[in-house]
């Protein structure tokens, strides 16, 4: 059994909690309050900038040329492709992404990823960034398959992006690289890789939850 199969068995309860969250349930139905989606997109723009940095750091540390190239493509995708989605919404919302300050959860998540990308063993670093690919693809596919009044859903562009084939191609590459690294890793390294994946999955839950609560710094 490959590593991604094993880790998904452990992550499934977390994934099911993510699907059941009010944010994703209401996004699927098209009833999510615009204020919450606007907050989420602003935070996600900040997150993606830092996520792109983490991917670039990992790419520079990988030893196989094809892996380095893949992570370079992932980084450019986070910066160019997904930001195009944000730009469209920001024009509608009137948001200047350069003025966005990270929420406590966004700051925690991005700091975690950057630390793993910079100094953790490479297998662990890859495990930490994988949920942003895999969980989003799973959630996007689920919402796409179950969305109600799909033609009138105001969040259809978001849904189509993460349920789309272009994003699926990146996810498949990330999963294959993860399995390849895990195959060459020791049991202890695989365990650390799994721990990083599960922690980042929890942080994905926290990110959606913080957007639904419109989380702010209390100090």
């Amino acid at each position: 059994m490959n590593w991604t199969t094993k880790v998904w068995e452990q992550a499934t309860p977390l994934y099911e909690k993510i699907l059941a969250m009010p944010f994703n349930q209401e996004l699927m139905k098209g009833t999510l309050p615009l204020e919450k989606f606007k907050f989420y997109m602003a935070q996600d723009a900040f997150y993606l900038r830092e996520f792109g940095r983490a991917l670039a750091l990992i790419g520079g540390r990988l030893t196989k040329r094809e892996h380095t190239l893949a992570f370079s493509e992932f980084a450019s995708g986070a910066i160019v492709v997904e930001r195009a989605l944000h730009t469209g919404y920001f024009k509608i919302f009137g948001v200047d992404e350069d003025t966005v300050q990270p929420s406590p959860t966004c700051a925690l998540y991005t700091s975690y990823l950057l630390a793993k990308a910079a100094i953790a063993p490479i297998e662990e670093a890859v495990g930490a960034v994988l949920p942003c690919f895999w969980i989003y693809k799973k959630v996007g596919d689920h919402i796409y398959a179950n969305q109600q009044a799909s033609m009138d859903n105001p969040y259809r562009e978001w849904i189509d992006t993460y349920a789309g084939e272009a994003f699926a191609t990146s996810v498949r590459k990330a999963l294959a690289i993860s399995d390849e690294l895990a195959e060459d890793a020791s049991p202890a390294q695989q365990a650390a890789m799994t721990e990083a994946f599960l922690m980042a999955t929890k942080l994905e839950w926290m990110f959606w939850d913080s957007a639904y609560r419109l989380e702010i710094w209390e100090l």
Side-chain angles (χ1 to χ4, degrees), residues 25-188:
Q25 286 294 309
E26 292 174 18
L27 188 147
M28 180 171 63
K29 298 172 184 176
T31 60
L32 180 69
L34 184 60
E35 181 184 18
K36 297 180 187 294
F37 186 73
K38 179 179 177 180
F39 182 95
Y40 161 80
M41 290 296 284
Q43 292 300 309
D44 198 42
F46 181 94
Y47 169 87
L48 285 174
R49 184 174 66 214
E50 301 302 286
F51 183 61
R53 290 176 60 205
L55 294 174
L57 283 169
I58 292 171
R61 296 177 58 204
L62 288 162
T63 56
K64 288 191 176 181
R65 183 173 58 183
E66 59 269 29
H67 292 175
T68 297
L69 178 60
F71 268 78
S72 176
E73 291 172 349
F74 296 158
S76 64
I79 294 169
V80 177
V81 179
E82 292 187 63
R83 277 192 63 186
L85 173 68
H86 292 78
T87 299
Y89 279 115
F90 287 167
K91 287 181 179 178
I92 298 171
F93 299 154
V95 173
D96 180 1
E97 66 176 290
D98 292 331
T99 66
V100 174
Q101 296 298 312
S103 68
T105 294
C106 184
L108 172 65
Y109 193 4
T110 54
S111 296
Y112 176 79
L113 293 183
L114 286 168
K116 291 296 185 184
I119 62 175
I122 194 63
E123 302 86 0
E124 192 176 335
V126 170
V129 297
L130 185 59
C132 191
F133 291 96
W134 203 5
I135 297 294
Y136 260 71
K137 180 57 181 167
K138 290 278 192 178
V139 170
D141 285 346
H142 176 83
I143 290 176
Y144 183 86
N146 294 279
Q147 62 183 316
Q148 299 172 19
S150 59
M151 295 302 295
D152 299 324
N153 192 319
Y155 310 119
R156 184 181 175 192
E157 187 177 359
W158 185 96
I159 297 166
D160 289 346
T161 295
Y162 291 108
E165 182 56 32
F167 189 63
T169 298
S170 293
V171 174
R172 285 192 291 268
K173 288 181 181 179
L175 290 170
I177 292 170
S178 299
D179 276 332
E180 191 172 338
L181 291 173
E183 186 176 355
D184 295 332
S186 69

